[in-house]
Amino acid sequence: MNQVNEQKIPKAPSKWKHYFTFILILLLLWGSAYQTDSTFKELIEGFPNMFSVLDQMIPPNWAYFDNIIGAMLDTIRMAVLGTTIGAVIAIPFAIFSASNMIKSTWVYYPVRFLLNLVRTIPELLLAAIFVAIFGLGPLPGIFALGIFSTGIIAKLTYEAIEGIDKGPLESMTAVGANKIQWIMFSVVPQVAAYYVSYVLYSFEINVRAAAILGLVGAGGIGEYYDRTLGFLEYDKVSTIIIFTLLVVLIIDYISTKLRENLL
Amino acid sequence: MIEFKNVSKVYPNGTQGLKNINVKIEKGEFVVIVGLSGAGKSTFLRSINRLHEITSGEIAIDGKSITKAKGKDLRIARRDIGMIFQNFNLVKRSTVIRNVLSGRVGYHSTLRTVLGLFPKEDVNLALNALDRVNIVEKAYTRSDQLSGGQQQRVSIARALAQEAKIILADEPVASLDPLTTKQVMDDLQKINQDLGITTVVNLHFIDIARQYATRIIGLQAGEVVFDGPVEEATDERFSEIYGRPLETREDEEVEVGESAHESSK
């Protein structure tokens, strides 16, 4: 009775797939390290340098604060403007990407494709392109952030729109609302809180992004990184880092609290 | 007056939703549509205001074809038809009064409604409508704080604020308990009698249908298999037609799953 009929036992799945995956990953790692000339030897040899830089960073040059406050405020202003531009442009994009707003796949697939394309371009690259077009200063940085946040806000918002309760859509159709009234009365109340939350989230990202845009000449605190690093003034660099960290932390905190209360 | 002329509906997957329907509903009637799940009750009702499109035939309201109407004509035709849904279909994050006022959008310009600048008369109309269904004290409450029965009454108020000539109710009490069922059905009946609004209701339960209807239409597989006054809608007659008696409210527990299935279609 204990004997199980041999034919009934299914064959155990082959483990070869797992072994193969493991070998493939090892090969990839080794290949990457080999091609980029990175070795453990170099890592270990570089270690003392790390400490010497750290040593030069401490103590930070507190007097340098006065010089960078203006640039830091500029960074925040860039983020505010960039986020606002993005938030406005994102609205039509979000509506035209949502399959429950626009029935035609000929509309929402191309719009979504465009959004995906925008999100694949790093903001630093966007900024570099705009610097080439508009010249040095915060303006190209603001445009770069605007386009970058359009991608984020539109993507998250259209997903929120697709997730709304379709009951109110139906009832607004039934009362004879036109398309704009239909959106204002059944879609907007359902997604407004999400939208504001995504705008705040994008603002957090933009503050961080704006801090490095100066590296390509697009204004803000980043320019001072470039300058001080170039002159090996590590005590000033550490001041900038600490300042940036503080600002980012404070803004993240406020924004997170606001978003918690929204949803 | 609602007139169905040779109306048929075939779904893209080949299912026959409605089959050659010829029905005339006079002004002021309280018609209840009954039938088993999937008999086409919802399709019948929703084709009146074109939430569902029919494939052939014509539906006319007061002599004007709604099935041929386009754009603004269609919106004006819909404005005159209030609709009440099984799941209430209120915007839960909006206040009660805003939900009721949303029934007025067809009367004003886009800009005015988008800015929420409804005239004083409209606000009074909305408050009166809420008063009629005994819920005016909740006017400035967010809709998601109301119970199911209260939400359904708000949606009746929306149809009233719309100054609709016809009210369509698609399983209005299917998600309500017996007590609130009675309140909601009483409200519908009172509005029908006081204001003479033509009322067409889909119901699952034959006992409620008999209690409120002036006329009962029975559907089966998209066809009208019974059409007559309540007195003729006896258990024997329905057993004959459907091969079994239609459900009454007592069978509800068994029915819940089924009606949820129907609404998901």
Side-chain angles (χ1 to χ4, degrees), chain A residues 165-168 170-178 180-181 184-186 189-190 193-194 262-263, chain B residues 46 49 75 78-79 81 85 89-94 98 102 105 108 110 113-114 118 158 162:
Chain A
D165 174 13
K166 66 179 170 51
E170 214 176 16
S171 56
M172 284 316 288
T173 306
V175 301
N178 65 32
I180 295 171
Q181 293 169 329
M184 281 305 292
F185 279 81
S186 59
Q190 290 194 68
Y194 292 95
L262 269 171
L263 298 178
Chain B
R46 281 158 187 258
N49 63 355
R75 291 203 299 273
R78 278 175 171 159
R79 188 180 79 184
I81 305 173
F85 301 85
N89 287 5
L90 301 179
V91 178
K92 296 200 178 68
R93 282 175 158 273
S94 299
R98 188 168 164 89
S102 74
V105 297
H108 304 294
T110 307
T113 51
V114 161
F118 290 97
R158 177 172 58 197
Q162 226 174 302

mmCIF file of all heavy atoms in Angstrom, chain A residues 165-168 170-178 180-181 184-186 189-190 193-194 262-263, chain B residues 46 49 75 78-79 81 85 89-94 98 102 105 108 110 113-114 118 158 162:
data_model
loop_
_atom_site.group_PDB
_atom_site.id
_atom_site.type_symbol
_atom_site.label_atom_id
_atom_site.label_comp_id
_atom_site.label_asym_id
_atom_site.label_seq_id
_atom_site.Cartn_x
_atom_site.Cartn_y
_atom_site.Cartn_z
ATOM 1 N N ASP A 165 -13.118 55.213 -9.487
ATOM 2 C CA ASP A 165 -14.423 54.574 -9.512
ATOM 3 C C ASP A 165 -15.162 55.062 -10.755
ATOM 4 O O ASP A 165 -15.312 56.261 -10.962
ATOM 5 C CB ASP A 165 -15.163 54.984 -8.228
ATOM 6 C CG ASP A 165 -16.589 54.491 -8.203
ATOM 7 O OD1 ASP A 165 -16.937 53.639 -9.039
ATOM 8 O OD2 ASP A 165 -17.347 54.959 -7.332
ATOM 9 N N LYS A 166 -15.628 54.119 -11.589
ATOM 10 C CA LYS A 166 -16.249 54.579 -12.830
ATOM 11 C C LYS A 166 -17.728 54.911 -12.663
ATOM 12 O O LYS A 166 -18.357 55.423 -13.580
ATOM 13 C CB LYS A 166 -16.019 53.576 -13.958
ATOM 14 C CG LYS A 166 -16.686 52.229 -13.797
ATOM 15 C CD LYS A 166 -16.366 51.374 -15.018
ATOM 16 C CE LYS A 166 -16.769 49.933 -14.899
ATOM 17 N NZ LYS A 166 -18.133 49.675 -14.488
ATOM 18 N N GLY A 167 -18.278 54.642 -11.485
ATOM 19 C CA GLY A 167 -19.681 54.975 -11.236
ATOM 20 C C GLY A 167 -20.010 56.433 -11.509
ATOM 21 O O GLY A 167 -20.915 56.734 -12.294
ATOM 22 N N PRO A 168 -19.272 57.380 -10.871
ATOM 23 C CA PRO A 168 -19.561 58.792 -11.116
ATOM 24 C C PRO A 168 -19.401 59.189 -12.590
ATOM 25 O O PRO A 168 -20.115 60.078 -13.064
ATOM 26 C CB PRO A 168 -18.527 59.518 -10.254
ATOM 27 C CG PRO A 168 -18.229 58.559 -9.154
ATOM 28 C CD PRO A 168 -18.306 57.201 -9.780
ATOM 29 N N GLU A 170 -20.229 57.390 -15.103
ATOM 30 C CA GLU A 170 -21.481 56.956 -15.694
ATOM 31 C C GLU A 170 -22.601 57.932 -15.338
ATOM 32 O O GLU A 170 -23.395 58.323 -16.201
ATOM 33 C CB GLU A 170 -21.809 55.574 -15.130
ATOM 34 C CG GLU A 170 -22.489 54.676 -16.079
ATOM 35 C CD GLU A 170 -22.685 53.309 -15.466
ATOM 36 O OE1 GLU A 170 -22.572 53.157 -14.224
ATOM 37 O OE2 GLU A 170 -22.974 52.381 -16.224
ATOM 38 N N SER A 171 -22.660 58.343 -14.066
ATOM 39 C CA SER A 171 -23.771 59.201 -13.680
ATOM 40 C C SER A 171 -23.646 60.587 -14.305
ATOM 41 O O SER A 171 -24.647 61.212 -14.626
ATOM 42 C CB SER A 171 -23.933 59.277 -12.164
ATOM 43 O OG SER A 171 -22.770 59.707 -11.556
ATOM 44 N N MET A 172 -22.402 61.064 -14.515
ATOM 45 C CA MET A 172 -22.260 62.364 -15.174
ATOM 46 C C MET A 172 -22.632 62.276 -16.662
ATOM 47 O O MET A 172 -23.172 63.216 -17.218
ATOM 48 C CB MET A 172 -20.835 62.923 -15.004
ATOM 49 C CG MET A 172 -20.545 63.497 -13.630
ATOM 50 S SD MET A 172 -21.856 64.529 -12.937
ATOM 51 C CE MET A 172 -21.728 65.987 -13.942
ATOM 52 N N THR A 173 -22.336 61.138 -17.286
ATOM 53 C CA THR A 173 -22.803 60.948 -18.660
ATOM 54 C C THR A 173 -24.327 60.998 -18.683
ATOM 55 O O THR A 173 -24.935 61.638 -19.534
ATOM 56 C CB THR A 173 -22.339 59.581 -19.208
ATOM 57 O OG1 THR A 173 -20.932 59.491 -19.062
ATOM 58 C CG2 THR A 173 -22.717 59.415 -20.668
ATOM 59 N N ALA A 174 -24.929 60.342 -17.687
ATOM 60 C CA ALA A 174 -26.387 60.246 -17.658
ATOM 61 C C ALA A 174 -27.082 61.586 -17.421
ATOM 62 O O ALA A 174 -28.207 61.766 -17.852
ATOM 63 C CB ALA A 174 -26.823 59.236 -16.598
ATOM 64 N N VAL A 175 -26.432 62.539 -16.732
ATOM 65 C CA VAL A 175 -27.101 63.831 -16.538
ATOM 66 C C VAL A 175 -26.892 64.763 -17.722
ATOM 67 O O VAL A 175 -27.391 65.876 -17.726
ATOM 68 C CB VAL A 175 -26.677 64.577 -15.242
ATOM 69 C CG1 VAL A 175 -26.958 63.744 -14.015
ATOM 70 C CG2 VAL A 175 -25.238 65.023 -15.292
ATOM 71 N N GLY A 176 -26.156 64.315 -18.727
ATOM 72 C CA GLY A 176 -25.982 65.127 -19.925
ATOM 73 C C GLY A 176 -24.848 66.121 -19.837
ATOM 74 O O GLY A 176 -24.912 67.196 -20.417
ATOM 75 N N ALA A 177 -23.791 65.771 -19.095
ATOM 76 C CA ALA A 177 -22.640 66.665 -18.991
ATOM 77 C C ALA A 177 -21.803 66.597 -20.263
ATOM 78 O O ALA A 177 -21.727 65.538 -20.890
ATOM 79 C CB ALA A 177 -21.775 66.258 -17.809
ATOM 80 N N ASN A 178 -21.211 67.729 -20.660
ATOM 81 C CA ASN A 178 -20.264 67.649 -21.776
ATOM 82 C C ASN A 178 -18.909 67.182 -21.246
ATOM 83 O O ASN A 178 -18.723 67.007 -20.039
ATOM 84 C CB ASN A 178 -20.171 68.980 -22.537
ATOM 85 C CG ASN A 178 -19.605 70.101 -21.682
ATOM 86 O OD1 ASN A 178 -18.772 69.871 -20.805
ATOM 87 N ND2 ASN A 178 -20.052 71.320 -21.928
ATOM 88 N N ILE A 180 -15.961 68.400 -20.716
ATOM 89 C CA ILE A 180 -15.233 69.167 -19.701
ATOM 90 C C ILE A 180 -15.948 69.100 -18.349
ATOM 91 O O ILE A 180 -15.324 68.884 -17.309
ATOM 92 C CB ILE A 180 -15.056 70.636 -20.153
ATOM 93 C CG1 ILE A 180 -14.160 70.667 -21.401
ATOM 94 C CG2 ILE A 180 -14.439 71.487 -19.053
ATOM 95 C CD1 ILE A 180 -14.085 72.020 -22.061
ATOM 96 N N GLN A 181 -17.265 69.229 -18.371
ATOM 97 C CA GLN A 181 -18.034 69.115 -17.127
ATOM 98 C C GLN A 181 -17.884 67.708 -16.542
ATOM 99 O O GLN A 181 -17.748 67.529 -15.332
ATOM 100 C CB GLN A 181 -19.522 69.381 -17.407
ATOM 101 C CG GLN A 181 -19.792 70.814 -17.826
ATOM 102 C CD GLN A 181 -21.201 70.996 -18.363
ATOM 103 O OE1 GLN A 181 -21.785 70.087 -18.959
ATOM 104 N NE2 GLN A 181 -21.759 72.184 -18.173
ATOM 105 N N MET A 184 -14.553 67.594 -14.851
ATOM 106 C CA MET A 184 -14.502 68.420 -13.647
ATOM 107 C C MET A 184 -15.323 67.838 -12.494
ATOM 108 O O MET A 184 -14.961 67.976 -11.338
ATOM 109 C CB MET A 184 -15.025 69.841 -13.954
ATOM 110 C CG MET A 184 -14.024 70.732 -14.642
ATOM 111 S SD MET A 184 -12.459 70.879 -13.777
ATOM 112 C CE MET A 184 -12.968 71.799 -12.325
ATOM 113 N N PHE A 185 -16.448 67.207 -12.813
ATOM 114 C CA PHE A 185 -17.330 66.745 -11.747
ATOM 115 C C PHE A 185 -17.088 65.294 -11.331
ATOM 116 O O PHE A 185 -17.416 64.919 -10.221
ATOM 117 C CB PHE A 185 -18.799 66.937 -12.143
ATOM 118 C CG PHE A 185 -19.274 68.339 -11.918
ATOM 119 C CD1 PHE A 185 -18.996 69.333 -12.830
ATOM 120 C CD2 PHE A 185 -19.957 68.674 -10.756
ATOM 121 C CE1 PHE A 185 -19.414 70.634 -12.612
ATOM 122 C CE2 PHE A 185 -20.369 69.973 -10.530
ATOM 123 C CZ PHE A 185 -20.101 70.959 -11.458
ATOM 124 N N SER A 186 -16.564 64.471 -12.224
ATOM 125 C CA SER A 186 -16.407 63.073 -11.805
ATOM 126 C C SER A 186 -14.945 62.641 -11.692
ATOM 127 O O SER A 186 -14.633 61.770 -10.898
ATOM 128 C CB SER A 186 -17.172 62.140 -12.752
ATOM 129 O OG SER A 186 -16.718 62.278 -14.067
ATOM 130 N N PRO A 189 -12.543 65.515 -8.667
ATOM 131 C CA PRO A 189 -12.640 65.276 -7.223
ATOM 132 C C PRO A 189 -12.001 63.956 -6.809
ATOM 133 O O PRO A 189 -11.522 63.825 -5.691
ATOM 134 C CB PRO A 189 -14.148 65.241 -6.956
ATOM 135 C CG PRO A 189 -14.832 65.646 -8.178
ATOM 136 C CD PRO A 189 -13.867 65.647 -9.301
ATOM 137 N N GLN A 190 -11.987 63.009 -7.727
ATOM 138 C CA GLN A 190 -11.439 61.698 -7.355
ATOM 139 C C GLN A 190 -9.914 61.651 -7.410
ATOM 140 O O GLN A 190 -9.304 60.835 -6.731
ATOM 141 C CB GLN A 190 -12.013 60.603 -8.265
ATOM 142 C CG GLN A 190 -13.481 60.331 -8.028
ATOM 143 C CD GLN A 190 -13.923 59.036 -8.684
ATOM 144 O OE1 GLN A 190 -13.531 57.956 -8.290
ATOM 145 N NE2 GLN A 190 -14.740 59.141 -9.706
ATOM 146 N N ALA A 193 -6.463 64.870 -4.847
ATOM 147 C CA ALA A 193 -5.548 64.641 -3.735
ATOM 148 C C ALA A 193 -4.294 63.898 -4.201
ATOM 149 O O ALA A 193 -3.173 64.229 -3.789
ATOM 150 C CB ALA A 193 -6.243 63.852 -2.637
ATOM 151 N N TYR A 194 -4.488 62.924 -5.079
ATOM 152 C CA TYR A 194 -3.339 62.180 -5.604
ATOM 153 C C TYR A 194 -2.430 63.108 -6.403
ATOM 154 O O TYR A 194 -1.207 63.080 -6.257
ATOM 155 C CB TYR A 194 -3.807 61.033 -6.512
ATOM 156 C CG TYR A 194 -4.526 59.949 -5.772
ATOM 157 C CD1 TYR A 194 -5.910 59.940 -5.687
ATOM 158 C CD2 TYR A 194 -3.815 58.928 -5.141
ATOM 159 C CE1 TYR A 194 -6.571 58.949 -4.995
ATOM 160 C CE2 TYR A 194 -4.466 57.936 -4.448
ATOM 161 C CZ TYR A 194 -5.840 57.952 -4.382
ATOM 162 O OH TYR A 194 -6.491 56.970 -3.694
ATOM 163 N N LEU A 262 -2.839 64.399 3.032
ATOM 164 C CA LEU A 262 -3.683 64.502 1.835
ATOM 165 C C LEU A 262 -4.451 63.223 1.568
ATOM 166 O O LEU A 262 -5.621 63.251 1.231
ATOM 167 C CB LEU A 262 -2.810 64.805 0.615
ATOM 168 C CG LEU A 262 -2.593 66.263 0.292
ATOM 169 C CD1 LEU A 262 -1.549 66.388 -0.790
ATOM 170 C CD2 LEU A 262 -3.895 66.888 -0.177
ATOM 171 N N LEU A 263 -3.766 62.093 1.695
ATOM 172 C CA LEU A 263 -4.390 60.839 1.238
ATOM 173 C C LEU A 263 -5.052 60.062 2.371
ATOM 174 O O LEU A 263 -4.694 60.203 3.497
ATOM 175 C CB LEU A 263 -3.335 59.970 0.551
ATOM 176 C CG LEU A 263 -2.725 60.613 -0.680
ATOM 177 C CD1 LEU A 263 -1.666 59.705 -1.275
ATOM 178 C CD2 LEU A 263 -3.784 60.893 -1.733
ATOM 179 N N ARG B 46 -30.767 50.976 -19.688
ATOM 180 C CA ARG B 46 -29.654 51.825 -20.084
ATOM 181 C C ARG B 46 -29.701 52.231 -21.555
ATOM 182 O O ARG B 46 -29.003 53.159 -21.951
ATOM 183 C CB ARG B 46 -28.329 51.113 -19.797
ATOM 184 C CG ARG B 46 -27.945 51.201 -18.355
ATOM 185 C CD ARG B 46 -26.997 50.112 -17.946
ATOM 186 N NE ARG B 46 -26.804 50.171 -16.506
ATOM 187 C CZ ARG B 46 -25.736 50.694 -15.937
ATOM 188 N NH1 ARG B 46 -24.759 51.160 -16.657
ATOM 189 N NH2 ARG B 46 -25.634 50.742 -14.628
ATOM 190 N N ASN B 49 -31.433 55.968 -22.017
ATOM 191 C CA ASN B 49 -30.629 57.205 -22.040
ATOM 192 C C ASN B 49 -29.278 56.985 -22.734
ATOM 193 O O ASN B 49 -28.352 57.773 -22.587
ATOM 194 C CB ASN B 49 -30.444 57.777 -20.639
ATOM 195 C CG ASN B 49 -29.671 56.861 -19.716
ATOM 196 O OD1 ASN B 49 -29.341 55.734 -20.092
ATOM 197 N ND2 ASN B 49 -29.375 57.333 -18.528
ATOM 198 N N ARG B 75 -27.174 65.391 -25.237
ATOM 199 C CA ARG B 75 -26.966 65.854 -23.864
ATOM 200 C C ARG B 75 -28.237 66.462 -23.283
ATOM 201 O O ARG B 75 -28.557 66.256 -22.121
ATOM 202 C CB ARG B 75 -25.810 66.866 -23.813
ATOM 203 C CG ARG B 75 -24.451 66.234 -24.095
ATOM 204 C CD ARG B 75 -23.323 67.055 -23.517
ATOM 205 N NE ARG B 75 -23.256 68.396 -24.062
ATOM 206 C CZ ARG B 75 -22.596 68.724 -25.177
ATOM 207 N NH1 ARG B 75 -21.954 67.789 -25.852
ATOM 208 N NH2 ARG B 75 -22.584 69.961 -25.604
ATOM 209 N N ARG B 78 -30.589 63.697 -22.425
ATOM 210 C CA ARG B 78 -30.166 63.019 -21.196
ATOM 211 C C ARG B 78 -30.466 63.860 -19.961
ATOM 212 O O ARG B 78 -30.750 63.338 -18.889
ATOM 213 C CB ARG B 78 -28.671 62.728 -21.250
ATOM 214 C CG ARG B 78 -28.350 61.475 -22.033
ATOM 215 C CD ARG B 78 -26.850 61.332 -22.132
ATOM 216 N NE ARG B 78 -26.483 60.038 -22.683
ATOM 217 C CZ ARG B 78 -25.302 59.797 -23.238
ATOM 218 N NH1 ARG B 78 -24.401 60.757 -23.302
ATOM 219 N NH2 ARG B 78 -25.023 58.603 -23.703
ATOM 220 N N ARG B 79 -30.367 65.184 -20.131
ATOM 221 C CA ARG B 79 -30.626 66.099 -19.026
ATOM 222 C C ARG B 79 -32.028 65.879 -18.471
ATOM 223 O O ARG B 79 -32.276 66.036 -17.282
ATOM 224 C CB ARG B 79 -30.482 67.526 -19.564
ATOM 225 C CG ARG B 79 -30.523 68.601 -18.531
ATOM 226 C CD ARG B 79 -30.366 69.936 -19.198
ATOM 227 N NE ARG B 79 -31.625 70.370 -19.818
ATOM 228 C CZ ARG B 79 -31.750 71.470 -20.543
ATOM 229 N NH1 ARG B 79 -30.697 72.232 -20.775
ATOM 230 N NH2 ARG B 79 -32.900 71.815 -21.041
ATOM 231 N N ILE B 81 -33.578 63.104 -18.276
ATOM 232 C CA ILE B 81 -33.757 61.742 -17.761
ATOM 233 C C ILE B 81 -32.844 61.565 -16.549
ATOM 234 O O ILE B 81 -31.621 61.611 -16.673
ATOM 235 C CB ILE B 81 -33.384 60.689 -18.827
ATOM 236 C CG1 ILE B 81 -34.177 60.938 -20.121
ATOM 237 C CG2 ILE B 81 -33.637 59.294 -18.287
ATOM 238 C CD1 ILE B 81 -33.748 60.055 -21.268
ATOM 239 N N PHE B 85 -28.608 54.478 -9.709
ATOM 240 C CA PHE B 85 -27.833 53.255 -9.933
ATOM 241 C C PHE B 85 -27.797 52.370 -8.686
ATOM 242 O O PHE B 85 -27.968 52.854 -7.565
ATOM 243 C CB PHE B 85 -26.394 53.617 -10.308
ATOM 244 C CG PHE B 85 -26.258 54.454 -11.541
ATOM 245 C CD1 PHE B 85 -26.371 55.831 -11.479
ATOM 246 C CD2 PHE B 85 -26.002 53.877 -12.770
ATOM 247 C CE1 PHE B 85 -26.243 56.615 -12.602
ATOM 248 C CE2 PHE B 85 -25.869 54.648 -13.912
ATOM 249 C CZ PHE B 85 -25.986 56.017 -13.830
ATOM 250 N N ASN B 89 -23.362 55.671 -7.311
ATOM 251 C CA ASN B 89 -22.536 56.463 -8.237
ATOM 252 C C ASN B 89 -22.402 57.928 -7.863
ATOM 253 O O ASN B 89 -22.423 58.804 -8.717
ATOM 254 C CB ASN B 89 -23.082 56.354 -9.666
ATOM 255 C CG ASN B 89 -22.799 54.986 -10.259
ATOM 256 O OD1 ASN B 89 -22.279 54.118 -9.567
ATOM 257 N ND2 ASN B 89 -23.109 54.812 -11.510
ATOM 258 N N LEU B 90 -22.247 58.185 -6.577
ATOM 259 C CA LEU B 90 -21.949 59.554 -6.155
ATOM 260 C C LEU B 90 -20.433 59.720 -6.167
ATOM 261 O O LEU B 90 -19.695 58.744 -6.066
ATOM 262 C CB LEU B 90 -22.451 59.802 -4.738
ATOM 263 C CG LEU B 90 -23.945 59.608 -4.482
ATOM 264 C CD1 LEU B 90 -24.249 59.880 -3.020
ATOM 265 C CD2 LEU B 90 -24.767 60.521 -5.361
ATOM 266 N N VAL B 91 -19.985 60.982 -6.275
ATOM 267 C CA VAL B 91 -18.562 61.242 -6.063
ATOM 268 C C VAL B 91 -18.368 61.297 -4.558
ATOM 269 O O VAL B 91 -18.823 62.221 -3.892
ATOM 270 C CB VAL B 91 -18.134 62.560 -6.725
ATOM 271 C CG1 VAL B 91 -16.673 62.825 -6.448
ATOM 272 C CG2 VAL B 91 -18.377 62.498 -8.211
ATOM 273 N N LYS B 92 -17.713 60.287 -4.012
ATOM 274 C CA LYS B 92 -17.686 60.132 -2.559
ATOM 275 C C LYS B 92 -16.910 61.230 -1.856
ATOM 276 O O LYS B 92 -17.181 61.565 -0.723
ATOM 277 C CB LYS B 92 -17.107 58.762 -2.198
ATOM 278 C CG LYS B 92 -17.973 57.628 -2.701
ATOM 279 C CD LYS B 92 -17.675 56.346 -1.957
ATOM 280 C CE LYS B 92 -18.571 55.217 -2.419
ATOM 281 N NZ LYS B 92 -18.256 54.812 -3.806
ATOM 282 N N ARG B 93 -15.928 61.800 -2.560
ATOM 283 C CA ARG B 93 -15.114 62.834 -1.927
ATOM 284 C C ARG B 93 -15.785 64.207 -1.983
ATOM 285 O O ARG B 93 -15.300 65.141 -1.381
ATOM 286 C CB ARG B 93 -13.750 62.927 -2.617
ATOM 287 C CG ARG B 93 -12.800 61.818 -2.201
ATOM 288 C CD ARG B 93 -11.518 61.895 -3.000
ATOM 289 N NE ARG B 93 -10.425 61.223 -2.306
ATOM 290 C CZ ARG B 93 -9.654 61.806 -1.403
ATOM 291 N NH1 ARG B 93 -9.833 63.066 -1.088
ATOM 292 N NH2 ARG B 93 -8.684 61.135 -0.814
ATOM 293 N N SER B 94 -16.864 64.328 -2.757
ATOM 294 C CA SER B 94 -17.537 65.617 -2.850
ATOM 295 C C SER B 94 -18.674 65.684 -1.835
ATOM 296 O O SER B 94 -19.175 64.663 -1.379
ATOM 297 C CB SER B 94 -18.105 65.825 -4.251
ATOM 298 O OG SER B 94 -17.075 65.823 -5.206
ATOM 299 N N ARG B 98 -22.890 69.221 -3.683
ATOM 300 C CA ARG B 98 -22.201 69.263 -4.973
ATOM 301 C C ARG B 98 -22.644 68.108 -5.863
ATOM 302 O O ARG B 98 -22.788 68.253 -7.070
ATOM 303 C CB ARG B 98 -20.681 69.245 -4.785
ATOM 304 C CG ARG B 98 -19.943 69.484 -6.099
ATOM 305 C CD ARG B 98 -18.477 69.747 -5.908
ATOM 306 N NE ARG B 98 -17.756 69.590 -7.165
ATOM 307 C CZ ARG B 98 -17.557 70.572 -8.042
ATOM 308 N NH1 ARG B 98 -18.012 71.769 -7.782
ATOM 309 N NH2 ARG B 98 -16.900 70.347 -9.155
ATOM 310 N N SER B 102 -24.549 68.596 -9.384
ATOM 311 C CA SER B 102 -23.986 68.059 -10.625
ATOM 312 C C SER B 102 -25.105 67.680 -11.598
ATOM 313 O O SER B 102 -24.888 67.598 -12.798
ATOM 314 C CB SER B 102 -23.080 66.865 -10.338
ATOM 315 O OG SER B 102 -23.840 65.728 -10.010
ATOM 316 N N VAL B 105 -25.666 70.520 -14.386
ATOM 317 C CA VAL B 105 -24.637 70.993 -15.325
ATOM 318 C C VAL B 105 -25.162 71.162 -16.748
ATOM 319 O O VAL B 105 -24.689 72.025 -17.477
ATOM 320 C CB VAL B 105 -23.369 70.091 -15.347
ATOM 321 C CG1 VAL B 105 -22.677 70.099 -14.010
ATOM 322 C CG2 VAL B 105 -23.710 68.687 -15.790
ATOM 323 N N HIS B 108 -26.329 74.866 -17.749
ATOM 324 C CA HIS B 108 -25.491 76.070 -17.737
ATOM 325 C C HIS B 108 -24.268 75.913 -18.621
ATOM 326 O O HIS B 108 -23.933 74.816 -19.048
ATOM 327 C CB HIS B 108 -25.050 76.388 -16.306
ATOM 328 C CG HIS B 108 -26.196 76.548 -15.366
ATOM 329 N ND1 HIS B 108 -27.093 77.574 -15.461
ATOM 330 C CD2 HIS B 108 -26.610 75.782 -14.332
ATOM 331 C CE1 HIS B 108 -28.010 77.456 -14.519
ATOM 332 N NE2 HIS B 108 -27.741 76.371 -13.824
ATOM 333 N N THR B 110 -20.362 75.758 -19.732
ATOM 334 C CA THR B 110 -19.261 74.968 -19.193
ATOM 335 C C THR B 110 -18.483 75.768 -18.149
ATOM 336 O O THR B 110 -18.221 75.284 -17.047
ATOM 337 C CB THR B 110 -18.301 74.579 -20.340
ATOM 338 O OG1 THR B 110 -19.066 73.961 -21.357
ATOM 339 C CG2 THR B 110 -17.240 73.633 -19.849
ATOM 340 N N THR B 113 -20.257 76.172 -14.727
ATOM 341 C CA THR B 113 -20.317 74.961 -13.920
ATOM 342 C C THR B 113 -18.940 74.549 -13.425
ATOM 343 O O THR B 113 -18.786 74.113 -12.293
ATOM 344 C CB THR B 113 -20.928 73.800 -14.725
ATOM 345 O OG1 THR B 113 -20.253 73.690 -15.966
ATOM 346 C CG2 THR B 113 -22.397 74.035 -14.971
ATOM 347 N N VAL B 114 -17.932 74.738 -14.285
ATOM 348 C CA VAL B 114 -16.578 74.358 -13.899
ATOM 349 C C VAL B 114 -16.110 75.185 -12.700
ATOM 350 O O VAL B 114 -15.455 74.690 -11.787
ATOM 351 C CB VAL B 114 -15.613 74.511 -15.104
ATOM 352 C CG1 VAL B 114 -14.178 74.569 -14.646
ATOM 353 C CG2 VAL B 114 -15.807 73.360 -16.068
ATOM 354 N N PHE B 118 -23.058 78.050 -9.459
ATOM 355 C CA PHE B 118 -24.459 77.757 -9.744
ATOM 356 C C PHE B 118 -25.318 78.895 -9.197
ATOM 357 O O PHE B 118 -25.059 79.397 -8.111
ATOM 358 C CB PHE B 118 -24.854 76.436 -9.086
ATOM 359 C CG PHE B 118 -24.225 75.244 -9.730
ATOM 360 C CD1 PHE B 118 -23.070 74.684 -9.200
ATOM 361 C CD2 PHE B 118 -24.767 74.687 -10.872
ATOM 362 C CE1 PHE B 118 -22.475 73.588 -9.794
ATOM 363 C CE2 PHE B 118 -24.178 73.584 -11.471
ATOM 364 C CZ PHE B 118 -23.036 73.041 -10.933
ATOM 365 N N ARG B 158 -30.527 64.134 -6.785
ATOM 366 C CA ARG B 158 -29.833 64.609 -7.988
ATOM 367 C C ARG B 158 -30.770 64.544 -9.200
ATOM 368 O O ARG B 158 -30.844 65.486 -9.998
ATOM 369 C CB ARG B 158 -28.581 63.762 -8.243
ATOM 370 C CG ARG B 158 -27.843 64.139 -9.521
ATOM 371 C CD ARG B 158 -26.514 63.421 -9.640
ATOM 372 N NE ARG B 158 -26.687 61.971 -9.609
ATOM 373 C CZ ARG B 158 -25.711 61.106 -9.367
ATOM 374 N NH1 ARG B 158 -24.494 61.542 -9.128
ATOM 375 N NH2 ARG B 158 -25.936 59.813 -9.358
ATOM 376 N N GLN B 162 -32.292 67.743 -11.305
ATOM 377 C CA GLN B 162 -32.163 67.745 -12.763
ATOM 378 C C GLN B 162 -33.475 68.183 -13.421
ATOM 379 O O GLN B 162 -33.494 68.458 -14.602
ATOM 380 C CB GLN B 162 -31.877 66.295 -13.174
ATOM 381 C CG GLN B 162 -30.780 66.103 -14.165
ATOM 382 C CD GLN B 162 -30.532 64.612 -14.360
ATOM 383 O OE1 GLN B 162 -30.237 63.888 -13.400
ATOM 384 N NE2 GLN B 162 -30.655 64.135 -15.580
#
